[in-house]
Amino acid sequence: MSFTSLGRLLAAAAVGLCLAVFGSAAEAKPAYQTTEVAPGLYSFGAGMAFNAFMITDGGVIVMDSFDADFAKASLEAIRKLTDKPIKYLVYSHNHYDHISGGAVFKAEGATVLSHQATADWLKSHPSPDVVMPDRTWSGAKSELKLGGKEIDLLYFGANHGEGMTVFRFPKEHAIYTVDLVVPKRVAFTYMPDFSPREWERTLAEMERLDFDKVMYAHNAPFGPRSSVADQLKYLQDLRAAILAELKKGTPFMKVPDTVKLPQYETWDGYEEWLPMNAWRVLLEIAMGV
Ligand SMILES: [Zn+2]
């Protein structure tokens, strides 16, 4: 090994160490923030994890718990605003990374609620970190009312995970949508457990709802209504670009690395995840699923 290559190796190790140190420091103290999106309606979290909660005269409704540490921090944030009881913890869908740590709210007396499809999946795929729902709802819509406030629980069918619930707050003109809209980011890696076509259909149906603000689970606490259309447009542009490559005769295996969408260059994950996104949609085009 030459001095030059040893030097490069040490420099790389030093960078790696710094990243590791910063990474663990960031993990130890996430800069969690509570954001009031509308009177009584809050987003809580930081960076890659935001849940939602609503304070009513009859108690608090929490949507998603992420993990035990997040749930504890979320409960602390709620307790800074109210000492009303936590009445409900509502799951958005079945994925462990969004609904672990529910025991924190269950211990406060919360009723854990999910769509029936979420509960069915959890029954056959239990996790020690996930509290089973106490109650379920089924069909396309259910109204959760508490202390003079209301949340519409909406199910659009298959799109991502099982029993994916979009929360609509009619009086607050807002929705909380988990994983289906992530602002200014391409889709996550290989779009795990997404059906891209059904995702597009769902976003088009969501656009018909009445709301002004969109609360997210990733990247930002909330943003404008237009972020739903932006997410849909990205998926449509990706599909169109893949179909154009196939039409041009680009070899199937080369399509994902050939597709470019320069209009999304500034979005998070563009360089690394665009080819992965393209693989997922290409396989759906080829296989039907
Ligand atoms: Zn998910």
Side-chain angles (χ1 to χ4, degrees):
M1 182 179 284
S2 71
F3 284 115
T4 316
S5 59
L6 179 65
R8 267 194 215 124
L9 193 68
L10 290 173
V15 168
L17 189 65
C18 286
L19 287 176
V21 168
F22 287 132
S24 62
E27 267 165 34
K29 280 188 180 176
Y32 288 136
Q33 285 187 342
T34 304
T35 307
E36 188 169 25
V37 176
L41 176 63
Y42 298 85
S43 162
F44 170 81
M48 284 299 289
F50 293 92
N51 73 350
F53 64 91
M54 181 177 246
I55 299 176
T56 80
D57 290 342
V60 183
I61 302 169
V62 180
M63 289 145 271
D64 279 357
S65 44
F66 284 91
D67 61 40
D69 287 342
F70 183 98
K72 277 180 216 155
S74 175
L75 179 60
E76 270 175 39
I78 292 168
R79 285 290 167 251
K80 281 182 189 161
L81 297 168
T82 182
D83 56 5
K84 288 196 179 350
I86 312 292
K87 285 291 196 182
Y88 292 100
L89 169 64
V90 193
Y91 290 160
S92 63
H93 64 308
N94 60 313
H95 291 159
Y96 300 153
D97 58 324
H98 286 269
I99 61 169
S100 292
V104 170
F105 295 109
K106 178 97 178 162
E108 294 285 309
T111 296
V112 180
L113 177 65
S114 82
H115 192 275
Q116 186 63 45
T118 303
D120 289 345
W121 189 91
L122 288 172
K123 216 173 279 172
S124 54
H125 303 76
S127 159
D129 301 323
V130 175
V131 175
M132 287 301 293
D134 301 303
R135 270 177 46 191
T136 59
W137 63 284
S138 53
K141 184 180 176 185
S142 181
E143 288 172 6
L144 181 59
K145 290 180 178 171
L146 184 68
K149 300 211 174 190
E150 181 188 325
I151 304 176
D152 291 345
L153 308 175
L154 304 174
Y155 176 63
F156 292 89
N159 43 45
H160 172 70
E162 297 294 334
M164 174 56 86
T165 299
V166 174
F167 303 87
R168 179 170 166 267
F169 313 97
K171 286 178 197 156
E172 293 75 13
H173 302 285
I175 59 171
Y176 174 47
T177 178
V178 173
D179 290 346
L180 297 175
V181 181
V182 179
K184 305 252 183 283
R185 193 189 80 179
V186 305
F188 182 62
T189 63
Y190 288 98
M191 302 185 180
D193 211 4
F194 276 98
S195 165
R197 199 187 297 114
E198 299 298 328
W199 187 6
E200 287 174 42
R201 174 192 53 75
T202 298
L203 290 168
E205 290 178 20
M206 280 167 62
E207 276 220 87
R208 288 183 218 132
L209 300 173
D210 179 19
F211 62 92
D212 301 322
K213 291 173 184 167
V214 186
M215 300 167 71
Y216 316 109
H218 303 296
N219 258 29
F222 75 100
R225 176 186 172 84
S226 58
S227 55
V228 176
D230 292 346
Q231 183 78 70
L232 176 58
K233 185 79 170 50
Y234 169 73
L235 294 171
Q236 290 170 335
D237 288 347
L238 176 61
R239 182 179 299 278
I242 291 167
L243 289 170
E245 290 301 330
L246 290 171
K247 207 173 168 194
K248 250 195 275 174
T250 304
F252 186 86
M253 301 299 286
K254 297 236 181 298
V255 168
D257 284 329
T258 309
V259 164
K260 300 286 176 246
L261 296 172
Q263 65 272 41
Y264 298 100
E265 255 170 15
T266 57
W267 282 23
D268 291 350
Y270 177 83
E271 289 292 335
E272 199 180 355
W273 294 345
L274 179 67
M276 300 183 195
N277 289 184
W279 264 120
R280 179 69 193 92
V281 174
L282 178 65
L283 291 172
E284 188 192 54
I285 290 168
M287 299 167 68
V289 291

